[in-house]
Amino acid sequence: MEKLLMTPGPTNVPERVLNKMKENMIHHRTSEYSKIFRELNERLKFVFQTNSNVLTFPSAGTGALEASIINCFNTGDKVLAISIGDFGDRFIKIAKIYGLNVDEIRIPWGKAVSLGEIQDKLKEDHKGVIITHNETSTGAVNPIKEIGEFLKNKNLIYIVDAVSSLGAIDIQMDNWNIDVLATASQKALMCPPGLAFIGLSPKAIDYCKASKMPKFYFDFLEGIKYMEKSEPQNPYTPAVSLISAANEAITMIEEEGLQNVFLRHKVLAEKFRGEIKGMGLKLFTDERVLSNAITAISLDNGNGDEIKSRLEKEYNIVVAGGQGATKGKMIRVGHMGYVDDYMIDRTLDAIRKVI
Amino acid sequence: MEKLLMTPGPTNVPERVLNKMKENMIHHRTSEYSKIFRELNERLKFVFQTNSNVLTFPSAGTGALEASIINCFNTGDKVLAISIGDFGDRFIKIAKIYGLNVDEIRIPWGKAVSLGEIQDKLKEDHKGVIITHNETSTGAVNPIKEIGEFLKNKNLIYIVDAVSSLGAIDIQMDNWNIDVLATASQKALMCPPGLAFIGLSPKAIDYCKASKMPKFYFDFLEGIKYMEKSEPQNPYTPAVSLISAANEAITMIEEEGLQNVFLRHKVLAEKFRGEIKGMGLKLFTDERVLSNAITAISLDNGNGDEIKSRLEKEYNIVVAGGQGATKGKMIRVGHMGYVDDYMIDRTLDAIRKVI
């Protein structure tokens, strides 16, 4: 049986995309490269649902989160940050490392924040709101649309970590007033890992211009400058193969249709959750905020790591375990990106046999 | 005619390495990945000629230079930095952005620094010496061995940017007392771009422990911690495909033999330079410090960009032009990594016809 990556990333990469990875190298200061890079930017704008440029860096998603902080703020700036799990905690940790004055909303794992909690905590002097969209550690989704509508025209920027959701769950960057939208290649975008993508609104660019924090490699304004050349480029050597692969992967999303992609994720997620509950297993996550990208299954008797290990050894299916306090007490099954009915069925069948 | 990348990177990637790029994705928190990552670390130690671990990040080489500064120093630290061209200037710029107190030695383009100049300028309170090995903008090579021998047992760290030389020209990290040795995947190491590699001596790690500059994604100590796990990993999602490709590329270097690889570069570089001079063309670089990785050819009449463009359009050979003040007045031909007699001959033949 072929290996199946049912993890929250890296996810399965389609053959078409893998084939792009082995194409002969091209040089990044040529028209040939600029053409591909321009195409990728246009396709990223399509999946980000924005008219703004989307920057691309060789980096993990974590680098994109850090880059958002160092490019948009100054030491001492006050921000409101919401954590509903491990990745929310990480974003807060990064903000604090850089001396931001962080007001935190921490929600118990498995739940999402409510708009009301944000309305309560938001202050006039907050220069940013920082939130995780899809919390990979818990399978809960924050209401980023409602929050974005509330934040419209407020004197701050709205930063969304969409690393594990962009391309799986609807995110309308422009319509929802998102100023910085960060994701990575290896999740719902069906690519190998190694690229971070960051959409920047005109307001975010103004914040970048006011930021005095030291930066170099991740300098957004340099990235924009190179992207706005008549032949768009990157300030430093880009990961050419991955850029070509990402361009192909998003072409596949275009071909399927963005709304169809979201619908496929929804249908498969609902089927997966239904069957899991049918087996008598418990979902970890509040039913009202379930993610269509990942399902967290509670295993309170602590045999999560054993089940994870057996799924890999006996069925060649890789899933993720619990993080932090949920270690051993959870398995997390990713169903994002290049995923179909067969993969869901094979995974359900293996889980049924193992438990 | 197949495209030939005779640039200072990205360089031609062997078929064996490209084939690794299209392998099915594996997850980075599995034994399967740890095995490859451990192998890569051992192979990197072999090409770095060190017993220390070599960190790997999804990043351009520039990220590795910045990471060296933010991990090893504190704001206000005094360092001695040598620039002999564009990349030396970049390293100094990064150091200054982070508030280092930089004493500079600037050498006219085309020449290298001498040990004497460093002996003259080095002061007791310098906490680091920062130097480019192979200056890609000029084709000159600094005497990093002699400098390293002089710096032995001094109370500072020795940081070498070997982005465009490691794997082409002998660099003995441990024997030459280099504390931080930084390079990237897409040059002499024959891989696609997207990975930065950083060798860290025990002394460098002590400096990292004393550094209080904010950092997160590029945190060296986190990288070391994850690398020292019984199953080595990376703190954040690694570029799995590129890691597998790099592992294969350095296997090819092992098979050829490191000294044979350096000898091949030397023989091909000498042949290339000899023929170029035979055509009546002038080398830009001081004859005593010529690089075996790249040759910079002076074109004082300013037709460099035209020649570069014709080589690409008429002969499908990509070379680099001049940077900064040499723009239009130079072509730079890379002969590093996966390069052989045929490629050198084809390039020489094309240059002969174009000029």
Side-chain angles (χ1 to χ4, degrees):
Chain A
M1 293 283 255
E2 206 183 319
K3 183 188 297 297
L4 216 50
L5 289 184
M6 303 301 284
T7 72
T11 60
N12 304 295
V13 179
E15 186 78 16
R16 263 175 77 174
V17 177
L18 286 175
N19 282 336
K20 285 284 166 186
M21 293 286 283
K22 70 156 295 214
E23 285 185 357
N24 278 326
M25 192 44 52
I26 60 174
H27 194 259
H28 61 295
R29 302 285 184 221
T30 58
S31 305
E32 190 181 4
Y33 171 75
S34 289
K35 181 174 174 292
I36 296 171
F37 185 52
R38 177 186 285 118
E39 282 177 17
L40 175 63
N41 182 38
E42 291 304 320
R43 294 209 161 92
L44 285 166
K45 287 158 77 172
F46 161 74
V47 284
F48 277 58
Q49 303 188 55
T50 182
N51 287 314
S52 299
N53 284 319
V54 180
L55 295 176
T56 297
F57 293 94
S59 173
T62 297
L65 306 187
E66 180 175 6
S68 305
I69 300 294
I70 61 178
N71 275 280
C72 298
F73 296 109
N74 286 297
T75 309
D77 277 356
K78 232 174 133 174
V79 296
L80 180 64
I82 297 96
S83 174
I84 64 168
D86 212 36
F87 288 89
D89 288 355
R90 181 183 290 178
F91 214 161
I92 289 175
K93 187 174 172 189
I94 296 171
K96 288 180 169 177
I97 283 174
Y98 285 97
L100 266 59
N101 188 344
V102 186
D103 285 334
E104 301 171 28
I105 300 179
R106 287 188 186 262
I107 304 292
W109 281 37
K111 300 194 177 300
V113 76
S114 69
L115 177 58
E117 286 165 297
I118 288 174
Q119 288 168 326
D120 282 353
K121 290 284 172 70
L122 191 70
K123 291 180 188 152
E124 284 286 320
D125 58 353
H126 283 140
K127 296 205 168 165
V129 170
I130 293 172
I131 193 164
T132 318
H133 180 210
N134 182 74
E135 176 52 61
T136 316
S137 63
T138 70
V141 176
N142 278 317
I144 58 167
K145 178 184 179 210
E146 290 69 23
I147 298 168
E149 285 165 352
F150 163 65
L151 294 178
K152 186 172 186 180
N153 297 328
K154 294 223 178 333
N155 193 19
L156 52 75
I157 50 170
Y158 181 32
I159 301 184
V160 176
D161 164 3
V163 169
S164 63
S165 56
L166 199 128
I169 311 173
D170 195 17
I171 306 177
Q172 301 179 20
M173 179 170 163
D174 289 359
N175 288 339
W176 302 353
N177 310 307
I178 301 171
D179 297 298
V180 181
L181 185 58
T183 194
S185 52
Q186 79 278 10
K187 310 223 173 203
L189 294 180
M190 311 188 295
C191 274
L195 292 184
F197 305 117
I198 303 154
L200 284 183
S201 75
K203 193 178 183 185
I205 290 175
D206 286 342
Y207 275 66
C208 291
K209 287 177 182 160
S211 163
K212 291 186 168 43
M213 276 207 222
K215 67 206 64 123
F216 196 82
Y217 176 65
F218 282 122
D219 190 327
F220 287 172
L221 295 179
E222 278 294 303
I224 294 287
K225 193 174 97 185
Y226 274 75
M227 187 163 261
E228 288 176 349
K229 287 184 178 209
S230 61
E231 299 218 314
Q233 292 186 352
N234 314 75
Y236 315 112
T237 312
V240 176
S241 326
L242 291 169
I243 281 174
S244 190
N247 195 24
E248 184 73 9
I250 310 179
T251 302
M252 291 177 70
I253 294 177
E254 274 181 2
E255 288 169 3
E256 186 175 349
L258 198 51
Q259 293 307 320
N260 294 335
V261 168
F262 299 146
L263 184 63
R264 170 169 55 82
H265 280 85
K266 182 169 185 287
V267 169
L268 293 175
E270 283 171 356
K271 172 177 174 171
F272 185 78
R273 294 190 293 249
E275 297 271 336
I276 286 294
K277 288 194 278 187
M279 291 178 210
L281 290 170
K282 251 175 54 196
L283 302 187
F284 177 80
T285 318
D286 183 339
E287 292 273 351
R288 294 163 301 176
V289 294
L290 289 167
S291 162
N292 289 337
I294 183 171
T295 296
I297 304 168
S298 274
L299 296 156
D300 294 332
N301 58 2
N303 62 345
D305 288 347
E306 189 202 327
I307 290 175
K308 173 179 176 300
S309 164
R310 285 191 55 199
L311 286 172
E312 187 173 350
K313 285 194 185 122
E314 297 172 25
Y315 297 92
N316 214 12
I317 296 173
V318 185
V319 303
Q323 291 177 295
T326 67
K327 187 156 172 46
K329 295 183 182 160
M330 187 193 277
I331 61 169
R332 293 174 299 137
V333 179
H335 29 75
M336 63 177 91
Y338 189 54
V339 63
D340 61 15
D341 240 330
Y342 159 78
M343 297 177 190
I344 293 290
D345 287 341
R346 203 180 125 190
T347 307
L348 285 166
D349 190 53
I351 293 175
R352 202 173 283 118
K353 286 174 179 151
V354 164
I355 56 166
Chain B
M1 294 283 256
E2 206 182 316
K3 184 186 298 296
L4 214 50
L5 290 184
M6 303 301 285
T7 72
T11 60
N12 304 295
V13 178
E15 185 78 18
R16 263 175 76 174
V17 176
L18 286 175
N19 282 336
K20 285 283 164 186
M21 293 285 284
K22 69 156 294 214
E23 285 185 355
N24 278 325
M25 193 44 51
I26 61 174
H27 194 258
H28 61 295
R29 304 285 184 219
T30 58
S31 305
E32 190 181 5
Y33 172 74
S34 288
K35 181 174 174 293
I36 296 170
F37 186 51
R38 178 186 283 118
E39 282 177 16
L40 175 63
N41 183 37
E42 291 305 320
R43 293 210 162 91
L44 285 167
K45 287 159 77 172
F46 161 74
V47 283
F48 277 60
Q49 304 188 54
T50 181
N51 287 313
S52 299
N53 285 319
V54 179
L55 295 176
T56 297
F57 292 94
S59 172
T62 297
L65 305 188
E66 179 174 9
S68 305
I69 299 293
I70 61 178
N71 275 279
C72 298
F73 296 109
N74 286 297
T75 309
D77 278 355
K78 231 175 133 173
V79 297
L80 180 64
I82 297 95
S83 173
I84 64 168
D86 211 35
F87 289 89
D89 288 354
R90 180 184 292 179
F91 213 160
I92 288 175
K93 186 175 174 190
I94 296 170
K96 288 181 170 176
I97 282 174
Y98 285 97
L100 267 58
N101 187 343
V102 185
D103 285 333
E104 300 172 29
I105 300 179
R106 287 189 186 259
I107 304 290
W109 282 37
K111 299 193 178 301
V113 75
S114 69
L115 177 58
E117 285 165 296
I118 288 175
Q119 288 169 327
D120 283 354
K121 290 283 171 72
L122 190 71
K123 291 181 188 152
E124 284 287 320
D125 58 352
H126 282 140
K127 294 204 167 166
V129 169
I130 293 171
I131 193 165
T132 318
H133 181 211
N134 181 75
E135 176 53 62
T136 315
S137 62
T138 69
V141 175
N142 277 316
I144 59 166
K145 178 185 180 210
E146 291 68 23
I147 297 168
E149 285 164 353
F150 163 66
L151 294 177
K152 187 173 186 178
N153 298 326
K154 294 222 178 337
N155 193 20
L156 52 75
I157 51 170
Y158 180 33
I159 301 184
V160 176
D161 164 3
V163 170
S164 62
S165 56
L166 199 128
I169 311 174
D170 196 17
I171 306 177
Q172 301 179 18
M173 178 170 162
D174 289 359
N175 289 339
W176 302 353
N177 310 307
I178 300 170
D179 296 299
V180 180
L181 184 59
T183 193
S185 52
Q186 79 278 11
K187 309 223 172 201
L189 295 180
M190 310 188 295
C191 274
L195 292 183
F197 305 117
I198 301 153
L200 282 183
S201 75
K203 194 178 182 183
I205 290 174
D206 287 342
Y207 274 65
C208 291
K209 288 176 182 161
S211 163
K212 291 187 168 44
M213 275 205 223
K215 67 205 62 127
F216 195 83
Y217 176 65
F218 282 123
D219 190 327
F220 288 171
L221 295 179
E222 278 295 301
I224 294 287
K225 193 173 99 184
Y226 274 75
M227 187 163 261
E228 287 176 348
K229 288 186 176 204
S230 61
E231 299 217 315
Q233 291 185 355
N234 315 73
Y236 315 111
T237 311
V240 177
S241 327
L242 291 169
I243 281 174
S244 190
N247 196 22
E248 185 72 10
I250 309 182
T251 301
M252 291 177 71
I253 294 178
E254 274 180 3
E255 288 169 3
E256 184 176 352
L258 198 51
Q259 293 308 318
N260 293 336
V261 169
F262 298 147
L263 185 62
R264 170 168 55 82
H265 280 86
K266 182 170 185 286
V267 168
L268 293 175
E270 283 172 356
K271 172 178 173 171
F272 185 78
R273 295 190 293 249
E275 298 269 337
I276 287 295
K277 287 195 278 186
M279 292 178 210
L281 290 169
K282 251 176 56 195
L283 302 186
F284 176 80
T285 320
D286 183 339
E287 291 273 350
R288 294 162 301 176
V289 295
L290 289 167
S291 161
N292 289 337
I294 183 171
T295 296
I297 304 168
S298 274
L299 296 156
D300 295 330
N301 58 1
N303 62 345
D305 287 348
E306 187 203 328
I307 291 176
K308 173 179 176 298
S309 163
R310 285 191 56 200
L311 286 171
E312 188 174 348
K313 285 195 185 123
E314 296 171 25
Y315 297 92
N316 214 11
I317 296 174
V318 185
V319 303
Q323 292 177 294
T326 67
K327 187 153 172 47
K329 295 184 182 159
M330 187 193 276
I331 61 169
R332 293 174 300 136
V333 178
H335 30 73
M336 63 177 91
Y338 190 53
V339 62
D340 62 14
D341 240 330
Y342 159 77
M343 297 176 189
I344 293 290
D345 287 341
R346 202 180 125 191
T347 308
L348 285 167
D349 191 51
I351 294 176
R352 201 173 283 118
K353 286 174 179 150
V354 165
I355 58 167

